[in-house]
Amino acid sequence: MNDTVIEVKDLVAGYEGRVILKDISFAVRKGETFIVLGGSGCGKSTLLKHMIGLHPLLAGEVRILGHRIQGGGVAEREAAMRSFGVTYQSGALFGNMTLLENVCLPLESFTDLPSDARRLIAEMKLELVGLKPFANYFPTDVSGGMKKRAAIARAMALDPQVLLLDEPSAGLDPVTSAELDRLILRLRDTHGISFVIVTHELASIFAIGDRCIMLDAETRTIIAEGNPTELRDTSPLEKVRTFFNPAARQG
Amino acid sequence: MTLKLPEICTVDSVTPLWKQRMPEVGKLKAGEVLILDADSVKRYDGSAEALIIEVHRCAAAQGFSVEYRDAASVIAKTLKIFNPAVFSDHTAYDLPPRNTHTVVQVGEAAVRIWRDIVDVLAFLGEVVTSGLSFLVRPGRLRLRDTMLCIERAGMDALPIVALIGFLIGLILAFLSGSSMRQFGVEVYVADLISIGLFREMGALITAIILAGRTGSAFAAELGTMKVNEEIDALTTLSLPPVLFLALPRVLAAAFVLPFLSIFAVFMGLFGGFVVLWMMDIPAITYWQHVFNAITVNNVLIGLTKALTFGLLVGLSGCSHGLHAKRSADAVGQAATASVVGSLVLITIFDGIFSVLLFILDI
């Protein structure tokens, strides 16, 4: 159990008492790329938002590096919040700051490092995602793919052990999407970061996913768990096989 | 000199090294040797990697040499991922200055206000053109949107207009009443309030409320639509944003302000009545003086001003919203600029009215 970075147990998620997901249990291991997948409206982003504490859990427990994100004390929640980074679908960069300032922001807020050090660290994070030459650009001046990479750099500013990415490939062309996939794999291999990625992009799922869970809008829970390729080839559920083989469904 | 990295080489333990040891590293000269000892490091993060890069950056700049003790390959791994030469330029990313000299700021503000006025007048041209196309095809104006804007700008503003109007009347009456009482002519406070509110204060106060409440909302709403590419969508659907979005708002603002202004005037008169009643002036006397002081000219002047100010507030709000840049920050700036622009325009046009009325002796 020591290599578990995220543990979700019997989670029930929803808004204003309305249950969207139930009986959700899974674990993410250290250094793996874990995919949360499913069709539109099945609750992928809802699950992510509950996991990171943006919405109160209706029931169950989420632990990140052993710390409870909800249900524990303030100190435990803060420890949990410091241990992961998140990127959102749009990138969610602060428009009035340059990319460098965006990455510097968490370092300014949570460390006592001198400004030179903070700036160098931010530059190094931008270099990791290939954006150092654009450090002084504003988010409006860069492309969608660059925004996503800058968001990853900002999420990595405090060296979290887990990165959670919400639809990182959404709105990107296949080439940029593949570049982003390669970046994720490189960061996983060089820095040992575990990734939890919410996506329904099949190319990305097969390229980077070590393990995955598949959510279902009908049953509102996990209907499959395992390696994406194995699920595609051997899942007993037709719904799962069809998801991984859209061409077969059309044929 | 030896720089020893701790066993747990993360931000908490690296911060003291940055603060205490790096200044010493910065003083090393050519020919000297720095021993970078990472033998005992078991865990490290980005701050440790940055420290390693900074040491190499200093070595390259100052000419001293670096020897490694790197049993755990921490330095080797870092140098494999990051090339210190890439980070050698300290000045490349100097951030743009945020605060310039006060004189420059004043100058920039003056230019901005002038441009705002020109933009709003140019926008007026666009709205008039759209208005003409509306006359040709009346069905193109979104009547439902216009009614909604009228409700939001007019009906929803009644409570605040009532409060402010009442208080303005109250304050005017107190200020003038206390002075006039010394001469025993406090009953003429009613005339003063009546003329002042109908001719000037009613339209002015209501326009300021409309600028802060509705003009800024127009700018924020249209600015957000621009961020969300809704304006682009309208353009590609061949629906001119000015006709579709701005005209209903401008018409609504121009339509509601005269009514709000009259409402504010009556609330102000009521405020004045309360004060004079406290000064033992009979109600019948007060209202007699009020209605005697009202002339058709005063009412028409007030209504014309209100109509003009309403038009200006609508134009300023919509112009700033449609010309906003595509960021959250820009939406806020557009809302602020719309209020400032409205106030400047209201003041300028009020001055023009005063001069014209003086010349025409009305």
Side-chain angles (χ1 to χ4, degrees):
Chain A
M1 283 297 288
N2 282 341
D3 67 344
T4 299
V5 288
I6 296 182
E7 192 178 10
V8 177
K9 214 189 282 178
D10 303 323
L11 181 138
V12 179
Y15 305 107
E16 295 163 359
R18 191 166 59 94
V19 175
I20 293 175
L21 292 167
K22 59 184 181 177
D23 303 328
I24 304 290
S25 296
F26 63 89
V28 180
R29 297 174 203 136
K30 191 176 179 188
E32 79 172 347
T33 309
F34 189 88
I35 310 280
V36 178
L37 56 87
S40 297
C42 70
K44 301 186 293 292
S45 295
T46 298
L47 173 60
L48 186 84
K49 283 174 183 164
H50 281 79
M51 281 170 66
I52 60 178
L54 285 181
H55 297 294
L57 306 176
L58 298 184
E61 188 177 81
V62 176
R63 283 179 185 269
I64 300 183
L65 296 177
H67 309 293
R68 273 175 300 175
I69 200 97
Q70 289 179 46
V74 176
E76 192 174 0
R77 180 181 165 86
E78 250 176 39
M81 297 297 271
R82 286 281 297 273
S83 59
F84 65 84
V86 188
T87 72
Y88 300 90
Q89 284 188 35
S90 62
L93 296 171
F94 304 116
N96 58 337
M97 298 179 185
T98 63
L99 301 189
L100 188 72
E101 288 175 307
N102 263 282
V103 183
C104 270
L105 186 66
L107 294 163
E108 284 167 10
S109 307
F110 294 106
T111 73
D112 290 326
L113 285 163
S115 61
D116 280 358
R118 292 197 302 259
R119 193 156 114 163
L120 179 59
I121 293 170
E123 283 182 9
M124 288 168 70
K125 300 301 180 196
L126 286 173
E127 172 70 6
L128 273 178
V129 298
L131 287 177
K132 187 172 171 290
F134 303 93
N136 217 20
Y137 282 50
F138 283 90
T140 43
D141 301 329
V142 298
S143 68
M146 289 159 91
K147 276 183 201 162
K148 305 240 172 171
R149 282 190 280 151
I152 291 177
R154 186 179 67 184
M156 285 171 56
L158 293 170
D159 294 290
Q161 294 184 47
V162 189
L163 276 183
L164 299 104
L165 317 183
D166 190 7
E167 305 268 14
S169 306
L172 300 182
D173 65 84
V175 176
T176 313
S177 179
E179 272 175 18
L180 200 63
D181 289 344
R182 281 196 292 276
L183 171 67
I184 290 166
L185 291 179
R186 187 157 52 82
L187 294 174
R188 184 193 67 180
D189 296 341
T190 56
H191 286 71
I193 298 170
S194 309
F195 282 90
V196 176
I197 301 171
V198 170
T199 186
H200 52 201
E201 298 284 334
L202 285 177
S204 285
I205 292 167
F206 290 122
I208 61 177
D210 294 319
R211 282 192 313 127
C212 68
I213 53 169
M214 184 171 173
L215 300 177
D216 177 45
E218 209 173 308
T219 55
R220 293 184 286 175
T221 190
I222 298 171
I223 54 166
E225 182 172 357
N227 177 271
T229 313
E230 286 173 15
L231 285 179
R232 179 192 62 190
D233 298 336
T234 62
S235 174
L237 292 172
E238 194 189 341
K239 198 182 265 184
V240 177
R241 292 195 308 273
T242 311
F243 180 88
F244 286 113
N245 292 291
R249 180 175 50 192
Q250 284 161 8
Chain B
M1 176 184 171
T2 301
L3 183 64
K4 185 172 172 57
L5 302 184
E7 194 175 310
I8 306 298
C9 199
T10 53
V11 68
D12 293 334
S13 56
V14 170
T15 302
L17 287 180
W18 268 100
K19 288 183 174 170
Q20 289 151 24
R21 302 303 306 276
M22 286 314 288
E24 296 172 28
V25 174
K27 289 175 189 160
L28 289 175
K29 295 186 181 77
E32 291 184 282
V33 177
L34 170 73
I35 299 166
L36 186 58
D37 184 355
D39 271 351
S40 56
V41 174
K42 286 188 177 157
R43 190 152 66 84
Y44 67 103
D45 66 8
S47 62
E49 291 174 331
L51 190 82
I52 292 166
I53 295 298
E54 181 67 5
V55 165
H56 282 81
R57 204 157 72 160
C58 291
Q62 295 157 226
F64 64 85
S65 53
V66 184
E67 281 181 15
Y68 306 136
R69 286 181 189 161
D70 192 23
S73 300
V74 173
I75 301 169
K77 279 181 196 166
T78 302
L79 293 177
K80 194 178 169 191
I81 299 169
F82 300 104
N83 175 9
V86 173
F87 303 96
S88 60
D89 187 358
H90 283 262
T91 58
Y93 301 110
D94 274 345
L95 301 173
R98 290 290 162 91
N99 293 310
T100 47
H101 197 274
T102 312
V103 176
V104 177
Q105 286 181 341
V106 170
E108 283 175 350
V111 171
R112 210 164 41 240
I113 288 170
W114 172 247
R115 279 188 189 149
D116 269 1
I117 293 168
V118 173
D119 283 348
V120 168
L121 292 177
F123 190 69
L124 173 64
E126 284 184 61
V127 172
V128 169
T129 315
S130 293
L132 291 176
S133 80
F134 153 67
L135 289 177
V136 177
R137 286 178 63 189
R140 292 190 79 183
L141 180 73
R142 305 256 311 166
L143 199 64
R144 217 182 69 181
D145 284 358
T146 312
M147 296 309 289
L148 190 68
C149 290
I150 286 173
E151 188 187 327
R152 285 182 185 162
M155 294 296 288
D156 295 354
L158 285 178
I160 183 76
V161 170
L163 180 69
I164 303 286
F166 176 78
L167 290 176
I168 289 293
L170 199 88
I171 292 162
L172 271 177
F174 264 125
L175 281 174
S176 52
S178 57
S179 302
M180 288 182 167
R181 197 171 202 179
Q182 293 172 21
F183 305 101
V185 289
E186 62 264 37
V187 72
Y188 288 104
V189 168
D191 301 63
L192 187 146
I193 294 174
S194 176
I195 295 168
L197 285 174
F198 267 108
R199 198 177 165 101
E200 181 69 45
M201 296 299 285
L204 192 65
I205 293 297
T206 324
I208 290 169
I209 295 171
L210 193 80
R213 195 182 164 277
T214 308
S216 58
F218 286 170
E221 198 178 353
L222 298 183
T224 308
M225 289 178 84
K226 192 160 185 192
V227 173
N228 293 338
E229 296 176 328
E230 291 171 53
I231 306 282
D232 295 344
L234 277 176
T235 309
T236 49
L237 286 167
S238 298
L239 295 167
V242 172
L243 175 66
F244 197 77
L245 297 172
L247 194 60
R249 286 168 175 77
V250 173
L251 288 179
F255 179 77
V256 299
L257 198 54
F259 291 100
L260 286 178
S261 170
I262 290 292
F263 180 64
V265 167
F266 280 104
M267 289 309 296
L269 290 175
F270 183 65
F273 165 70
V274 171
V275 173
L276 287 207
W277 176 71
M278 287 161 67
M279 289 179 178
D280 297 327
I281 303 290
I284 186 75
T285 311
Y286 174 79
W287 289 113
Q288 241 174 10
H289 274 264
V290 163
F291 288 114
N292 285 341
I294 299 172
T295 62
V296 176
N297 271 354
N298 284 343
V299 174
L300 286 180
I301 288 167
L303 289 177
T304 311
K305 281 184 181 178
L307 185 75
T308 312
F309 295 163
L311 198 66
L312 292 172
V313 169
L315 285 171
S316 178
C318 293
S319 166
H320 284 100
L322 287 176
H323 294 126
K325 290 180 184 168
R326 295 171 191 271
S327 67
D329 187 36
V331 173
Q333 284 173 5
T336 307
S338 93
V339 176
V340 175
S342 295
L343 296 183
V344 170
L345 286 165
I346 288 167
T347 314
I348 290 172
F349 274 77
D350 202 23
I352 293 171
F353 271 117
S354 300
V355 174
L356 278 178
L357 293 173
F358 177 75
I359 293 169
L360 297 171
D361 196 20
I362 301 172

